[in-house]
Amino acid sequence: MVVISRFNKLNVPLYLHPGLPLKSVQQAYFTGFSAEVNARLSMFAWGWHHEAGIHLLRLMLSGAFDKYSNLQVISGHWGEMLPFWLQRLDDSLPLAATGLSRTLTRTFQEHVYVTPSGMLTLPHFKFIYELMGAERILFSVDYPYQTLDGVKTFIDSLPVNKAEKEAIAFRNAERHGSTAKLGGKKLILSFTTGAPEELYTVDSFFGHTIEEYLIPFETTAKLCNLELLEPVYTCGISYADRDADKLAQQKTLAREHASRLVDLLNSVVNNPEGE
């Protein structure tokens, strides 16, 4: 909860990005087909989104949003399945069982922003709009993994008024932007890569350095009037072919990564001017 408490204190949203299921989960649920189907099913077809939805649900059930009233989360791909099951969750996990101060639906409505992440589908939009309202939808695409074709047409065709279209397209994000909550604050990038660090050079496999991949974030920081700090990253955290020794090594790396991130967050909170 240390990282969560810092997001709450800094009053900035946390984006929960999908990740691969554990290898044991992959073997139980996402095998039995061709290698390509197994991989796609465990990642961007289903597994990624199920894992991200479970992560957010567990965060809600933990009471984090009761404890940290400023905590806001951004959930991609129309909420990673979770919004479409909220009523069932409320029925099956009532307040008497969870001990929470609000239903899971209300917690979701008050603490989560939803983005389409390139899933430009009108039925999904209508459901989320009815559940959340326009003020909780942040427009996003998944470029370069998906085409930008049809993006403007989708926005223009939404069955809402002009003010709500503008809110979804940019004004909701603008509230966190250069003249609002994020303006003048610090941007911290924390990430892992599957490939080892030696592959991220101009002359190696990927042909680019880690720093070159971060150029779009430099642009975002400038547009939002943010100070981009040195990134916290760890290479070689692969989900593939992990035996017991490799898994133990990666757990050590993960703990070291988390420690560096917490140290940086603490330094920002305790010394916001960077003196």
Side-chain angles (χ1 to χ4, degrees):
M1 286 292 186
V2 175
V3 172
I4 296 298
S5 69
R6 294 310 181 195
F7 275 93
N8 178 74
K9 189 168 184 177
L10 293 169
N11 196 24
V12 293
L14 166 65
Y15 178 62
L16 291 180
H17 193 278
L20 279 171
L22 295 173
K23 189 171 183 180
S24 58
V25 175
Q26 291 185 57
Q27 290 174 337
Y29 293 111
F30 302 114
T31 57
F33 309 101
S34 68
E36 181 175 358
V37 171
N38 290 346
R40 288 172 176 262
L41 184 61
S42 69
M43 293 189 291
F44 44 82
W46 187 270
W48 278 359
H49 314 296
H50 181 261
E51 291 294 303
I54 285 288
H55 191 152
L56 179 52
L57 176 57
R58 291 180 63 88
L59 192 62
M60 293 163 66
L61 287 171
S62 74
F65 295 102
D66 284 348
K67 184 175 182 180
Y68 302 112
S69 59
N70 291 330
L71 181 60
Q72 295 288 318
V73 168
I74 300 172
S75 181
H77 306 97
W78 296 121
E80 309 294 4
M81 305 183 184
L82 193 52
F84 310 98
W85 211 250
L86 284 172
Q87 186 58 58
R88 175 67 172 178
L89 288 167
D90 284 346
D91 293 340
S92 303
L93 293 166
L95 299 183
T98 64
L100 300 175
S101 66
R102 296 160 292 179
T103 64
L104 294 170
T105 295
R106 185 178 168 193
T107 300
F108 194 93
Q109 292 169 328
E110 294 178 353
H111 290 272
V112 180
Y113 289 92
V114 171
T115 81
S117 303
M119 294 174 58
L120 307 183
T121 47
L122 192 57
H124 289 88
F125 168 79
K126 288 181 176 179
F127 185 93
I128 296 299
Y129 176 78
E130 183 70 23
L131 175 71
M132 311 279 287
E135 66 276 7
R136 282 280 167 178
I137 302 175
L138 301 174
F139 186 71
S140 72
V141 295
D142 203 14
Y143 181 83
Y145 303 105
Q146 288 182 310
T147 179
L148 293 176
D149 293 345
V151 169
K152 186 177 185 299
T153 300
F154 178 76
I155 287 287
D156 290 341
S157 65
L158 293 178
V160 296
N161 61 44
K162 180 181 178 181
E164 289 183 314
K165 287 180 183 179
E166 289 183 354
I168 292 166
F170 65 93
R171 295 202 185 278
N172 290 339
E174 195 174 58
R175 292 204 305 271
H176 297 279
S178 58
T179 60
K181 292 182 179 179
L182 294 184
K185 294 188 176 179
K186 295 174 173 59
L187 175 60
I188 298 172
L189 303 178
S190 171
F191 59 91
T192 64
T193 71
E197 189 166 11
E198 55 266 25
L199 294 186
Y200 292 98
T201 67
V202 174
D203 299 323
S204 295
F205 178 80
F206 292 112
H208 297 281
T209 65
I210 291 287
E211 289 70 25
E212 288 176 313
Y213 283 107
L214 302 184
I215 290 174
F217 294 99
E218 295 176 5
T219 303
T220 298
K222 290 180 180 179
L223 290 172
C224 293
N225 190 27
L226 293 163
E227 179 188 352
L228 180 61
L229 301 184
E230 285 295 316
V232 177
Y233 66 90
T234 302
C235 297
I237 306 294
S238 173
Y239 289 91
D241 302 322
R242 293 190 297 183
D243 56 25
D245 290 340
K246 185 181 291 186
L247 186 59
Q249 181 184 29
Q250 292 189 357
K251 285 182 177 179
T252 299
L253 290 174
R255 284 191 290 267
E256 292 173 352
H257 180 102
S259 179
R260 286 187 284 126
L261 177 58
V262 169
D263 287 345
L264 180 56
L265 288 169
N266 281 330
S267 71
V268 170
V269 172
N270 297 327
N271 186 18
E273 302 302 322
E275 299 175 351

